[in-house]
């Protein structure tokens, strides 16, 4: 049909288009969208739309008509979408140790054996890292404890929390702490400390017991059992503290490997049975494992997208039955698509958040644009190394030429393919992943795995939106609702933890 | 000793980049530098005949890399 | 002696399989030098890259394997990936010119927003001097300044070397 179109040179405002099922999706600069029939699209493209027609009203309402294009509306929408531009990093990943007691098949560069005590962050490095983190221009600061396994160096975790809280008294940042842990070294004493200090806890669940224990190996082969025990204990503690358990619960993340793909139903069921309200169906990253391992755990992105569709379709069915569970990728995209807001997920924004939305602090004080950059450094690639907490100031780090280059490279308005893609207003690209997979921070989107995943997920979501099934749209609307978790914001007094 | 003559187009390679490359490789080869209207001409005399080809290739890569890092030839 | 790699038209590409080397002729109007620089830079860690201009309208890029001479398929994959990267760089070059204003505005806002205003300590460490910058290698000097007279001294390679480095 496109070959037969005779486009008008004056009717349409700027738009991009993409076929979605039997409809044509059009999006504009500021991210409004419409799903048109083929016949409607032809009329729009050729400018054959009567001003009194219902189609014209739809087009005009979403700012797709050149004659009535409302610049002020577009500016307001763009400001809402790009709200993150004017503030510095809010996510500060602190790798308090590389030591880890679990051996995961997709993680080698990010961990060290338990006797590698030289990979523990010292209190001095920790304080300097916090000093830089709290220098950010962003009024919101989240310090995320990562590893290795952060519970291995719990004394430094505690030191960071106490030092940051004290220092923040004069700064007044909206300060939060998050810990990403396999939970196997959790104790009741440590948990009480984390609860009292309002630290959000996040763990990894790769799926059902057999899969989880095969991918995440403890010497005792009970990684799943230990994680599940503590997830339940944490959720119980939140309930005892009187917190709304639909909002406050132990979060869990999964990594999708080849073995995951057939188990989409079992994975969703596992999460639902654990009381988790959200799954993040993340594809495996190209970091941190040897090439020989890649053959065992990698898969074509078409296979991933089939997995994704199966899992999310099942989650939608569960929602129809009253079960509250959402998929995070979908939630992020739908917030942008349906609400015109950007939830500031750092890998899915333009420009991406490396260096300007997040910084990663290695155990030895080296600072990186992002955690992926830190992992690449461990693999011998120093592109994303910005400096050191001993020798560099905050402004030197975020003003580093590498950060500038990454901001340029991840701006979708400078990226071939993305400039013409209907998903441009909702999407993002990841420079560190591009560099690892395709040799440059720009990447080549047509051959890019992340792009394939992002396009595939958005195709799926727009196909669903195109059905105009009101019950489904209501479910999607719920998935876009961002509820602030005020309990995790630090104030001067510790919380009363339930023991 | 093994001599090779390399011609670098002036619109592609920066003369300063070639200078810097010559300096960097001076432990491995002797260099004779000339210029023509449209080219920088480098005679590379490798101290190790077995390494001559590799040295030439590495030298060319290095000069191109430096040229690009400088923003180009002009 | 040139060899043909499958699917790539003769005249555009000449391969020397034994040497692990392939040359591609590129229309300089289609692929601007900046795009060629971009693609070449991405490839200098994978292979050796040399660029020349057999005539004003053509760039010739020669890619040589770093290790032992590769199989024809590996060489074809190298050329294919280079061509894809080159096309991507050429288009990006055009896009950045077309969208220059928005790209610069967003970048400026992102970086300036992240850095914030300089503190007094930052200002104290700024270099406000306007003295000539240190140039120990003499790389800011023109080729002519350094080598113009040495063209005559072809029998003094060591002296020329010194000159090049000064």
């Amino acid at each position: 049909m496109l070959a037969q179109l005779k486009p008008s040179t004056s009717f349409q405002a700027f738009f991009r288009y993409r076929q979605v099922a039997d409809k044509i999706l059009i999006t504009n600069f500021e991210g409004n969208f419409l799903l048109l029939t083929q016949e409607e699209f032809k009329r729009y493209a050729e400018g054959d739309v009567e001003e009194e027609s219902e189609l014209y009203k739809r087009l005009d309402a979403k700012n797709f008509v050149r004659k009535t294009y409302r610049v002020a509306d577009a500016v307001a929408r763009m400001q809402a979408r790009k709200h993150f531009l004017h503030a510095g990093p809010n996510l500060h990943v602190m790798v308090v140790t590389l030591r880890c007691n679990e051996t995961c098949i997709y993680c080698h560069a990010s961990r060290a054996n338990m006797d590698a005590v030289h990979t523990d962050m010292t209190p001095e490095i920790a304080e300097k890292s916090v000093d830089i983190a709290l220098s950010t221009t962003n009024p919101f600061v989240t310090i995320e404890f990562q590893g290795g396994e952060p519970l291995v160096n719990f004394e430094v975790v505690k030191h960071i929390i106490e030092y940051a809280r004290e220092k923040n008294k004069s700064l007044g940042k909206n300060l939060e702490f998050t810990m990403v842990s396999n939970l196997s070294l959790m104790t009741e004493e440590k948990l009480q400390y984390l609860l009292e200090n309002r630290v959000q806890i996040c763990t990894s669940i790769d799926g059902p017991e057999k899969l989880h224990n095969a991918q995440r190996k403890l010497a005792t082969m009970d990684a799943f059992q230990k994680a599940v025990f503590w997830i339940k204990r944490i959720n119980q503690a939140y309930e005892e503290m009187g917190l709304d358990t639909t909002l406050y619960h132990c979060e869990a993340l999964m990594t999708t490997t080849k073995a995951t793909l057939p188990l989409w139903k079992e994975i969703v069921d596992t999460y639902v049975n654990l009381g988790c309200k959200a799954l993040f169906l993340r594809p495996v990253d190209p970091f941190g494992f040897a090439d020989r391992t890649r053959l065992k755990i990698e898969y074509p992105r078409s296979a991933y997208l089939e997995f994704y569709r199966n899992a999310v379709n099942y989650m939608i069915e569960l929602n129809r039955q009253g079960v509250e569970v959402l998929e995070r990728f979908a939630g992020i995209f739908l917030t942008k698509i349906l609400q015109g807001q950007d939830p500031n997920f750092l890998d899915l924004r333009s420009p991406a958040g490396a260096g300007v939305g997040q910084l990663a602090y290695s155990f030895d004080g080296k600072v990186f644009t992002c955690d992926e950059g830190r992992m690449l450094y461990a693999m011998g690639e120093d592109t994303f190394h910005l400096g050191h907490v001993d020798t560099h100031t905050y402004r030197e780090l975020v003003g580093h030429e590498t950060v500038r280059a990454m901001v340029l490279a991840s701006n979708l308005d400078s990226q071939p393919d993305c400039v013409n893609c209907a998903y441009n207003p909702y999407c993002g690209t990841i420079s560190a992943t591009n560099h690892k997979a395709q040799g440059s921070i720009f990447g080549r989107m047509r051959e890019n795995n992340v792009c394939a995943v992002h396009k595939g997920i958005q195709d799926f979501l727009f196909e669903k939106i195109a059905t105009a099934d009101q019950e489904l749209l209501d479910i999607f609307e719920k998935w876009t609702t961002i509820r602030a978790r005020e309990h995790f914001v630090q104030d001067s007094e510790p919380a009363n933890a339930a023991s | 000793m093994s001599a090779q003559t390399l011609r670098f187009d002036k619109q592609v390679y920066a003369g300063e980049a070639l200078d810097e490359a010559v300096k960097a490789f001076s432990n491995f080869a002797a260099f004779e530098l000339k210029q023509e209207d449209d080219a920088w001409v480098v005679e590379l005399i490798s101290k190790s005949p077995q390494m001559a080809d590799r040295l030439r290739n590495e030298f060319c890569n290095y000069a191109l890399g430096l040229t690009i890092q400088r923003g180009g030839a002009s | 002696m040139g060899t043909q790699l499958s699917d790539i038209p003769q005249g555009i590409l000449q391969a020397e399989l034994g040497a692990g080397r392939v040359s591609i002729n590129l229309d300089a109007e289609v692929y601007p030098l900046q795009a060629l620089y971009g693609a070449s830079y991405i490839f200098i860690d994978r292979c050796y890259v040399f660029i020349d201009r057999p005539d004003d309208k053509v760039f010739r890029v020669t890619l040589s394997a770093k290790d032992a001479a590769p199989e024809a398929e590996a060489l074809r994959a190298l050329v294919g990936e280079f061509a894809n990267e080159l096309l991507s760089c050429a288009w990006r070059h055009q896009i950045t010119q077309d969208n220059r204003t928005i790209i610069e505005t967003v970048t400026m806002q992102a970086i300036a927003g992240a850095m914030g205003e300089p503190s007094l300590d930052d200002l104290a460490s700024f270099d406000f001097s306007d003295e000539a910058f240190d140039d120990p290698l003499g790389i800011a000097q023109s080729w002519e300044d350094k080598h113009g007279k040495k063209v005559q001294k072809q029998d003094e390679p060591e002296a020329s070397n010194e000159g090049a480095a000064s």
Side-chain angles (χ1 to χ4, degrees):
Chain A
M1 182 188 85
L2 291 176
Q4 297 160 8
L5 282 179
K6 294 172 187 156
S8 162
T9 55
S10 59
F11 178 73
Q12 327 89 336
F14 173 84
F15 73 101
R16 304 177 176 100
Y17 67 94
R18 182 178 179 87
Q19 178 136 8
V20 174
D22 61 345
K23 297 277 178 59
I24 306 286
L25 169 73
I26 58 172
T27 63
N28 66 7
F29 179 69
E30 63 266 32
N32 295 335
F33 78 91
L34 280 176
L35 285 150
L36 304 177
T37 64
Q38 305 261 348
E39 188 267 338
E40 286 172 335
F41 179 70
K42 183 172 187 298
R43 285 169 56 201
Y44 174 59
E46 297 187 342
D48 180 23
V49 186
E50 296 289 326
E51 286 195 22
E52 296 73 31
S53 66
E54 182 271 341
L55 175 59
Y56 188 94
K57 289 189 179 102
R58 267 193 290 148
L59 291 165
D60 183 42
K62 292 289 180 76
N63 228 7
F64 280 100
V65 179
R66 181 175 297 188
K67 192 169 81 175
T68 58
Y69 190 73
R70 295 172 295 282
V71 174
D73 288 358
V75 168
R77 297 279 284 178
M78 283 303 284
Q79 283 176 333
R81 287 186 180 282
K82 303 283 184 191
H83 67 90
F84 50 78
L85 276 182
H86 300 280
N90 71 319
L91 177 62
H92 298 266
V93 175
M94 297 199 180
V95 178
V96 293
T97 181
L98 287 187
R99 290 195 287 157
C100 187
N101 60 327
E102 278 190 5
T103 307
C104 303
I105 57 169
Y106 39 72
C107 172
H108 295 297
S110 266
R111 73 175 294 281
N113 291 332
M114 287 296 280
D115 57 356
V117 290
H118 62 283
T119 68
D120 285 358
M121 184 180 272
T122 63
E124 293 74 25
I125 294 283
E127 287 184 12
K128 287 176 180 171
S129 301
V130 170
D131 289 344
I132 289 173
L134 291 177
S135 300
T136 181
T137 53
N138 201 313
F140 297 87
V141 174
T142 297
I143 293 177
E144 181 173 292
F145 301 110
Q146 281 257 15
E149 167 51 52
L151 289 176
V152 171
N153 194 9
F154 196 63
E155 285 308 309
V156 164
V157 169
K158 288 164 66 177
H159 186 68
I160 288 173
I161 291 168
E162 284 151 28
Y163 179 77
R165 285 174 66 118
E166 183 61 30
K167 190 173 171 81
N168 194 43
K169 281 181 183 170
S170 62
L171 297 170
K173 300 275 188 193
N174 204 304
L175 177 65
E176 295 185 32
F177 299 105
T178 300
M179 174 181 281
V180 180
S181 165
N182 64 38
L183 298 181
S184 61
L185 296 174
M186 185 64 85
T187 63
E188 194 60 37
E189 186 186 3
K190 287 175 183 168
L191 177 62
Q192 288 307 312
Y193 180 88
L194 295 171
L195 293 171
E196 283 168 15
N197 286 280
R198 303 170 189 264
V199 179
Q200 185 171 3
I201 303 168
C202 185
T203 191
S204 299
I205 291 289
D206 278 355
E209 179 180 329
K210 191 175 169 192
L211 176 66
H212 184 95
N213 285 343
Q215 296 193 160
R216 306 180 60 90
K217 293 193 171 100
L218 274 179
T220 46
M221 292 306 290
D222 59 351
F224 182 83
Q225 289 84 338
K226 287 204 162 95
V228 167
F229 173 84
W230 285 107
I231 288 172
K232 289 180 176 169
R233 174 70 192 96
I234 291 162
N235 290 345
Q236 178 198 9
Y238 286 149
E239 194 171 351
E240 289 166 3
M241 291 167 76
L243 296 170
D244 175 357
T245 54
T246 62
L247 191 57
Y248 296 98
H249 42 263
C250 182
E251 293 283 344
L253 293 170
M254 61 169 285
T255 299
T256 307
T257 66
K258 193 188 281 183
T260 314
L261 300 179
L263 300 176
W264 48 269
K265 184 173 183 298
E266 291 84 346
I267 286 161
V268 174
D269 286 338
T270 301
Y271 271 71
V272 169
N273 291 336
L274 285 171
C276 297
K277 309 296 180 194
L279 274 95
F280 200 160
L281 300 175
R282 299 181 307 167
V284 68
D285 283 329
F287 309 109
F289 51 82
D291 283 341
R292 64 180 181 279
T293 311
R294 187 183 315 279
L295 297 172
K296 276 194 261 178
I297 64 177
E298 266 283 13
Y299 37 80
R301 285 308 182 257
S302 55
Y304 167 81
L305 288 168
E306 187 184 348
F307 158 80
Y308 183 88
R309 285 168 174 259
N310 286 332
V312 178
N313 274 328
Y314 180 52
M315 291 163 78
I316 290 168
E317 283 313 307
L318 289 176
N319 273 267
R320 289 185 200 274
Q321 295 163 28
V323 178
E324 194 181 322
V325 59
L326 67 85
E327 200 287 313
R328 287 246 182 256
F329 261 135
I332 293 163
F333 280 123
L334 289 168
T335 303
K336 293 165 178 248
I337 294 165
L338 299 175
Q339 307 290 356
Q341 297 292 325
D342 196 299
N344 201 17
F345 183 70
L346 299 172
D347 289 344
L348 261 179
R349 53 174 243 193
S350 169
V356 289
Q358 70 164 305
L359 289 171
Y361 308 76
S362 189
F363 69 93
D364 56 0
K366 291 191 182 76
V367 185
F368 298 89
T369 56
C370 49
D371 201 36
E372 291 86 349
R374 179 188 65 82
M375 286 190 265
L376 284 175
Y377 186 87
M379 298 168 81
E381 170 56 63
D382 67 355
T383 299
F384 306 100
H385 177 212
L386 299 178
H388 194 280
V389 295
D390 280 341
T391 52
H392 288 75
T393 65
Y394 166 79
R395 291 184 93 250
E396 287 169 339
L397 294 166
V398 299
H400 195 281
E401 60 185 1
T402 299
V403 176
R404 290 203 301 272
M406 292 172 83
V407 169
L408 282 165
S410 62
N411 186 332
L412 301 187
D413 290 318
S414 71
Q415 186 69 261
D417 206 35
C418 303
V419 282
N420 294 339
C421 180
Y423 299 144
N424 175 303
Y426 319 122
C427 210
T429 185
I430 310 168
S431 295
T433 308
N434 295 341
H435 192 276
K436 168 69 178 154
Q438 295 182 310
S440 83
I441 56 175
F442 295 96
R444 298 189 302 275
M445 292 304 108
R446 282 276 158 178
E447 309 166 77
N448 187 288
N449 274 345
V450 173
C451 175
V453 166
H454 289 174
K455 275 184 181 146
I457 291 174
Q458 289 174 93
D459 281 344
F460 172 76
L461 295 174
F462 274 109
E463 282 169 25
K464 293 288 176 193
I465 292 169
T467 64
D469 171 349
Q470 192 54 50
E471 190 182 21
L472 173 61
L473 294 178
D474 289 344
I475 291 167
F476 277 1
E477 188 82 15
K478 263 171 73 176
W479 288 12
T480 68
T481 309
I482 302 167
R483 296 166 67 194
R485 297 179 190 187
E486 296 291 342
H487 172 75
F488 291 129
V489 178
Q490 300 293 308
D491 54 26
S492 52
E493 297 302 321
N496 290 319
S499 52
Chain B
M1 302 287 266
S2 170
Q4 303 177 79
T5 301
L6 308 171
R7 294 182 78 260
F8 295 91
D9 191 291
K10 282 184 177 176
Q11 291 198 20
V12 176
Y13 291 85
E16 292 86 350
L18 286 163
D19 282 348
E20 205 176 330
V22 164
K23 171 88 174 169
F25 280 73
S26 60
N27 283 343
F28 307 103
F31 293 90
E32 176 90 12
L33 307 171
K34 292 181 284 187
Q35 65 169 312
E36 297 172 356
D37 286 348
D38 58 353
W40 314 115
V41 180
V42 177
E43 189 170 353
L44 183 155
I45 305 143
S46 173
K47 293 178 179 173
S48 162
Q50 298 92 323
M51 295 294 287
D53 285 350
R54 182 172 172 202
L55 198 68
R56 179 198 65 224
N57 283 327
E58 293 286 356
F59 179 82
C60 291
N61 252 18
Y62 197 74
L64 180 59
L66 289 177
T67 295
I68 296 168
Q69 284 172 355
R70 294 177 61 86
S74 52
Chain C
M1 189 65 190
T3 308
Q4 222 19 53
L5 293 181
S6 58
D7 304 337
I8 301 177
Q10 203 158 15
I12 290 179
L13 180 143
Q14 298 84 43
E16 294 173 71
L17 286 178
R21 187 160 54 224
V22 61
S23 293
I24 318 160
N25 289 331
L26 301 165
D27 185 330
E29 284 190 20
V30 176
Y31 298 105
L33 182 55
Q34 289 300 325
L36 188 49
Y37 280 151
S40 300
Y41 197 70
I42 288 167
F43 272 68
I44 57 177
D45 65 342
R46 304 181 210 183
C47 62
Y48 299 115
V49 185
F50 183 76
I51 305 171
D52 64 342
R53 287 193 317 147
D55 66 59
D56 282 351
K57 293 179 179 168
V58 174
F59 289 117
R60 181 169 55 205
V61 183
T62 303
L63 308 176
S64 309
K66 286 196 172 183
D67 300 321
E71 298 288 318
E73 267 315 293
L75 206 54
R76 186 185 175 285
L78 181 71
V79 173
E81 192 155 346
F82 182 85
N84 278 2
E85 188 62 56
L86 182 61
L87 185 62
S88 187
C89 288
W91 190 10
R92 184 177 302 111
H93 180 69
Q94 183 62 47
I95 291 165
T96 50
Q97 289 181 333
D98 294 347
N99 290 352
R100 191 175 194 91
T101 303
I102 188 167
I103 293 166
E104 285 182 350
T105 304
V106 167
T107 304
M108 192 268 287
Q109 289 187 356
I111 300 292
M115 288 180 73
E117 294 174 6
S119 66
L120 289 176
D121 287 344
D122 294 321
L123 288 169
S125 63
F126 277 4
D127 180 7
F128 292 107
S129 69
D130 56 359
E131 293 169 13
F133 62 91
D134 193 22
D135 186 22
L137 296 178
I139 57 175
Q141 284 181 267
S142 73
W143 178 283
E144 289 81 0
D145 288 346
K146 283 187 285 182
H147 309 301
K149 293 175 185 171
K150 294 190 174 72
V151 172
Q152 308 301 322
K153 299 182 179 178
Q154 292 181 28
D155 56 343
E156 293 176 31
E158 291 301 317
S160 294
N161 258 349
E162 286 301 307
S166 63

